[in-house]
Amino acid sequence: MKKMNKKKVKKFSTKRFLKKLWALLEPFRKTIYTIVFWTALLEGAQLVSPYFLKIIIDTLTDFQPEKIPLIVGLTFAMFAFSQITTFFVFLMGRGIFKLSAFTAETLNNNAHKKMMFLDLMYHEKENTGNKIIKIQRGTEKIQNLLINFFWDFFPATIKIIFTSLVLLWINWIFGVIVLFFSLIFTVLSFKANKNIFPSRKNRYDKQEEAAGIMTQSIININTVKSFVQESNESKGFGKLSKSIRKSFLKETLTMQKSYFVRNFVINCAKVLILLVGVLFAWQGSITIGSLVFIITISSEALNSSYRLTRIYDQIMENSEPIEKLHDLSREEPEIKNPKRGIVPKIVSGDICFENVSFIYKESGIKALKNVSVKINAGCVTALVGPSGGGKTTLARMIYRHYDPFGGKVLLDGKNLKEYDLYGFRKHIAIVPQEVEVFNTSIKDNISYAKPEASFKEIKAAAQIANAENFIEELSEKYETMVGERGIKLSGGQRQRLGIARAILANPKILIFDEATSNLDSESESLIQKAMDRISRNRTVVIIAHRLSTIKKADKIIVLEKGRVAQQGSHIELAQTKGGLYKKLIDLQKLGDVE
């Protein structure tokens, strides 16, 4: 279990956070402006009912029978106005939750789309669990923040502003008291959150690490159980979970202490307003009704300070996942798709590597060094050599999953960078060493390369791939669910599904990346026959360790340490004494070449 690297915690910037949040909310800004307008209007209207109460109390202090209709009328007006504002608050609430739901839907869709279109290098360097939790938490936190903004922060801000203006109009002292203590309350809240930010960020990093560990443990559960590492995995995850719990409790304790101090500030403000109000009422400066009105609206405004600063609590709590979601939305693939790129209707499949070099950025490993080779159209070309020689890297260059650091890759005489990515990739298919199978039916897995394919086409592809026999033996045949990562299928069965999928794509260029290396002899024989069938009239690239599978290749390219060590046919290379290919043959004890 790897320990998390200690990183320097980036200082929190409210300006940076709000800029990133506002960028994510760009599609929803019009709706946000509308809700803001109606919220301001409704909060201003909330002061009307307490004002009616003020008039009623002042009328009662100087009661006269003829004023009864006025008192009754004002009472019903209070009731009617409260009901009307409640109805509009209900409508506004619906709008807020609709906005929240639509925001979550859009952000999730955008994040998923971004993940789909980011290049392979991004996915190789990012842990799967981290990527998923980054999207889920970021979207969830924005939802919470929006609801909190419209339900707490903005209404509280408007309430404090309107209340302070009204109190300043009645008597400036009351307005100053509310503003002064609200300011102290806000400063204390900001300070508490600022102090807690580093530990909160550290907790989020640990939570992402925990998600990554859990994902990897589950994905690799077969290895975990095979090597009896269940306890170690559980202990390692438990230690990290304990660390997360301690961090969370430390944060909450700090916030509880801050809450105690902030509550003291608000209580002081309420007592001071009451004392000053009673003094002014005793002096006759204000009426009893005005005193009740002042105490009512000032108490609501001061209590709103909790709502006001709650948004900052949430900003600090949610800043990390939201910033990461924003960073993901701005992530750009290293493999750029050219504007007005060539979309070939037909390709012959002639591939040429000219002085191609490639380095893996993360590790600094030089995978390819000035490689120049040609893969002829309509021929079978095999890539062989020791592990780490650059075979798979070279094959991925054909797909343009990677771009060379030096040199260029040509398809039919044109640089791959001139082609539309999705245009030329439709003419290529790959059968990898470990075929990736989705947790859906056999039929859907085969038709993944061509979703609109008819059942007749799917069945024909399965027959060519020698998959028909085992499929017909399954309980639900083509409708059989294969389980997550195809766990219900054997390695050979998954490979044959992969070949059927590739056949259905009907590619001009076909790549077999160690397609038979992990299989038993019977499965290898079936897959080899399928490979032979579909290789006709196609450009085929075979990456193989088992040299018996590539004897019939038109050309064999031997790679060692990122360089081309040898090229030629099986007979030519097998007869070259001292050559790497001859050594590989001897090691595998293939015997004499026929």
Side-chain angles (χ1 to χ4, degrees):
M1 196 70 63
K2 291 183 180 179
K3 291 183 179 179
M4 186 181 70
N5 294 327
K6 290 184 178 180
K7 298 179 182 177
K8 187 177 180 181
V9 177
K10 182 168 63 174
K11 189 177 179 182
F12 176 74
S13 166
T14 305
K15 183 180 178 181
R16 183 188 69 233
F17 168 76
L18 292 176
K19 186 178 179 181
K20 289 184 175 183
L21 176 62
W22 194 235
L24 284 170
L25 294 175
E26 185 177 0
F28 323 106
R29 290 178 186 176
K30 188 176 179 181
T31 307
I32 289 171
Y33 291 143
T34 303
I35 296 175
V36 162
F37 171 77
W38 284 107
T39 301
L41 208 62
L42 284 170
E43 284 302 321
Q46 299 288 342
L47 295 173
V48 175
S49 289
Y51 187 72
F52 284 162
L53 180 62
K54 168 200 175 310
I55 298 172
I56 291 171
I57 291 172
D58 284 339
T59 303
L60 286 172
T61 54
D62 185 24
F63 180 74
Q64 295 176 15
E66 60 268 21
K67 291 182 179 180
I68 291 176
L70 174 63
I71 294 170
V72 173
L74 286 170
T75 302
F76 278 105
M78 277 182 65
F79 173 77
F81 203 84
S82 295
Q83 288 302 109
I84 291 168
T85 53
T86 300
F87 175 71
F88 279 105
V89 167
F90 166 76
L91 292 179
M92 189 183 71
R94 282 187 63 188
I96 291 169
F97 288 115
K98 279 184 179 179
L99 171 64
S100 171
F102 182 59
T103 302
E105 177 191 0
T106 305
L107 291 176
N108 272 323
N109 289 342
N110 290 345
H112 183 268
K113 185 177 180 180
K114 173 65 73 173
M115 286 290 188
M116 293 302 98
F117 283 90
L118 283 172
D119 54 54
L120 197 61
M121 284 185 280
Y122 172 83
H123 290 285
E124 286 176 343
K125 69 184 179 184
E126 278 280 327
N127 179 284
T128 302
N130 289 8
K131 285 184 285 189
I132 293 170
I133 198 170
K134 185 186 293 183
I135 294 170
Q136 290 177 337
R137 281 181 52 215
T139 303
E140 178 189 336
K141 298 305 182 184
I142 287 179
Q143 269 192 292
N144 293 341
L145 208 57
L146 275 175
I147 292 172
N148 186 269
F149 175 82
F150 287 118
W151 220 250
D152 285 328
F153 175 75
F154 188 68
T157 303
I158 295 298
K159 186 181 289 291
I160 289 172
I161 291 171
F162 282 3
T163 300
S164 298
L165 289 173
V166 171
L167 291 176
L168 285 169
W169 173 67
I170 294 173
N171 189 302
W172 66 270
I173 294 176
F174 296 112
V176 169
I177 291 171
V178 170
L179 287 173
F180 176 74
F181 281 94
S182 295
L183 180 63
I184 292 176
F185 184 92
T186 304
V187 169
L188 288 171
S189 299
F190 284 9
K191 187 177 179 182
N193 275 292
K194 190 175 181 180
N195 291 338
I196 210 171
F197 176 73
S199 61
R200 184 176 279 159
K201 183 183 185 306
N202 183 258
R203 173 167 62 87
Y204 278 136
D205 288 340
K206 287 179 180 178
Q207 285 175 333
E208 281 195 10
E209 185 185 1
I213 289 171
M214 179 177 283
T215 303
Q216 289 302 309
S217 297
I218 295 171
I219 287 175
N220 301 310
I221 191 66
N222 186 46
T223 304
V224 172
K225 288 187 171 296
S226 298
F227 289 93
V228 200
Q229 292 300 307
E230 294 94 335
S231 295
N232 282 341
E233 288 289 334
S234 297
K235 285 177 185 176
F237 187 81
K239 285 179 182 178
L240 197 54
S241 296
K242 186 177 181 180
S243 177
I244 292 169
R245 174 176 59 82
K246 286 182 176 179
S247 295
F248 175 73
L249 291 175
K250 184 179 178 182
E251 291 168 36
T252 52
L253 179 60
T254 303
M255 292 309 296
Q256 286 297 313
K257 289 178 180 177
S258 170
Y259 175 80
F260 179 80
V261 175
R262 288 182 289 173
N263 197 50
F264 176 76
V265 169
I266 293 300
N267 287 336
C268 287
K270 289 179 180 179
V271 169
L272 187 57
I273 286 172
L274 179 61
L275 291 175
V276 173
V278 169
L279 177 64
F280 285 170
W282 177 65
Q283 292 175 342
S285 300
I286 58 173
T287 64
I288 298 298
S290 295
L291 176 61
V292 172
F293 179 63
I294 290 166
I295 292 172
T296 301
I297 64 172
S298 63
S299 292
E300 285 189 12
L302 289 167
N303 289 335
S304 293
S305 297
Y306 292 103
R307 297 166 65 197
L308 180 68
T309 55
R310 199 175 296 149
I311 190 74
Y312 195 70
D313 291 349
Q314 281 209 344
I315 285 175
M316 298 299 284
E317 171 73 20
N318 304 334
S319 60
E320 188 67 14
I322 290 174
E323 287 197 35
K324 285 184 176 180
L325 183 61
H326 171 271
D327 292 344
L328 171 64
S329 72
R330 294 298 185 267
E331 190 81 42
E332 289 294 330
E334 292 187 35
I335 307 298
K336 302 290 184 182
N337 195 21
K339 291 182 179 178
R340 300 185 183 88
I342 301 167
V343 182
K345 291 183 179 179
I346 302 172
V347 298
S348 64
D350 196 75
I351 303 162
C352 188
F353 293 83
E354 293 184 357
N355 299 313
V356 170
S357 296
F358 182 79
I359 301 172
Y360 285 98
K361 287 183 179 179
E362 296 298 311
S363 61
I365 295 172
K366 293 181 180 179
L368 298 173
K369 304 167 188 174
N370 298 316
V371 171
S372 293
V373 293
K374 186 174 182 182
I375 296 171
N376 296 317
C379 296
V380 177
T381 302
L383 305 178
V384 301
S387 296
K391 304 182 294 298
T392 298
T393 303
L394 199 72
R396 284 181 172 179
M397 291 273 179
I398 299 170
Y399 255 104
R400 210 187 156 209
H401 283 320
Y402 303 143
D403 274 342
F405 280 36
K408 54 187 176 181
V409 183
L410 306 176
L411 173 61
D412 293 347
K414 295 184 180 67
N415 194 323
L416 273 185
K417 292 182 179 180
E418 297 177 23
Y419 286 94
D420 177 82
L421 270 175
Y422 312 105
F424 87 84
R425 282 179 182 170
K426 287 182 179 179
H427 297 277
I428 310 172
I430 186 169
V431 181
Q433 182 178 2
E434 291 291 336
V435 171
E436 293 171 341
V437 180
F438 297 89
N439 186 15
T440 182
S441 68
I442 293 277
K443 182 180 71 175
D444 290 340
N445 269 289
I446 294 174
S447 65
Y448 189 78
K450 188 181 176 183
E452 72 280 7
S454 66
F455 180 69
K456 186 178 179 181
E457 291 176 292
I458 294 168
K459 194 174 176 68
Q463 287 171 346
I464 296 169
N466 285 326
E468 174 87 343
N469 290 341
F470 88 79
I471 293 173
E472 289 297 330
E473 291 175 0
L474 296 172
S475 58
E476 312 245 346
K477 300 186 176 9
Y478 282 86
E479 297 298 333
T480 302
M481 302 297 287
V482 300
E484 189 174 1
R485 293 177 290 114
I487 199 167
K488 296 179 182 178
L489 304 176
S490 69
Q493 289 170 339
R494 288 196 296 271
Q495 291 300 106
R496 279 177 273 171
L497 278 191
I499 293 173
R501 183 189 292 166
I503 292 167
L504 199 59
N506 192 27
K508 184 61 182 178
I509 301 168
L510 189 55
I511 301 170
F512 292 99
D513 187 356
E514 305 279 7
T516 63
S517 62
N518 296 330
L519 305 178
D520 58 81
S521 298
E522 184 181 354
S523 295
E524 181 184 0
S525 176
L526 288 169
I527 288 170
Q528 190 64 52
K529 288 175 183 176
M531 287 168 62
D532 291 341
R533 270 190 214 134
I534 64 172
S535 296
R536 294 165 194 161
N537 302 317
R538 303 181 199 273
T539 302
V540 178
V541 178
I542 301 174
I543 301 172
H545 273 117
R546 292 186 184 178
L547 304 185
S548 58
T549 62
I550 48 94
K551 277 186 178 184
K552 297 176 184 178
D554 298 296
K555 181 194 282 188
I556 297 172
I557 299 169
V558 185
L559 292 164
E560 183 181 29
K561 296 180 180 178
R563 297 184 187 276
V564 177
Q566 289 177 285
Q567 293 187 66
S569 68
H570 174 72
I571 294 174
E572 291 170 347
L573 297 177
Q575 292 175 345
T576 304
K577 292 182 179 181
L580 178 58
Y581 189 76
K582 181 68 166 62
K583 290 179 182 177
L584 292 173
I585 290 176
D586 293 340
L587 285 171
Q588 293 191 15
K589 297 179 181 180
L590 290 177
D592 296 331
V593 179
E594 296 178 359

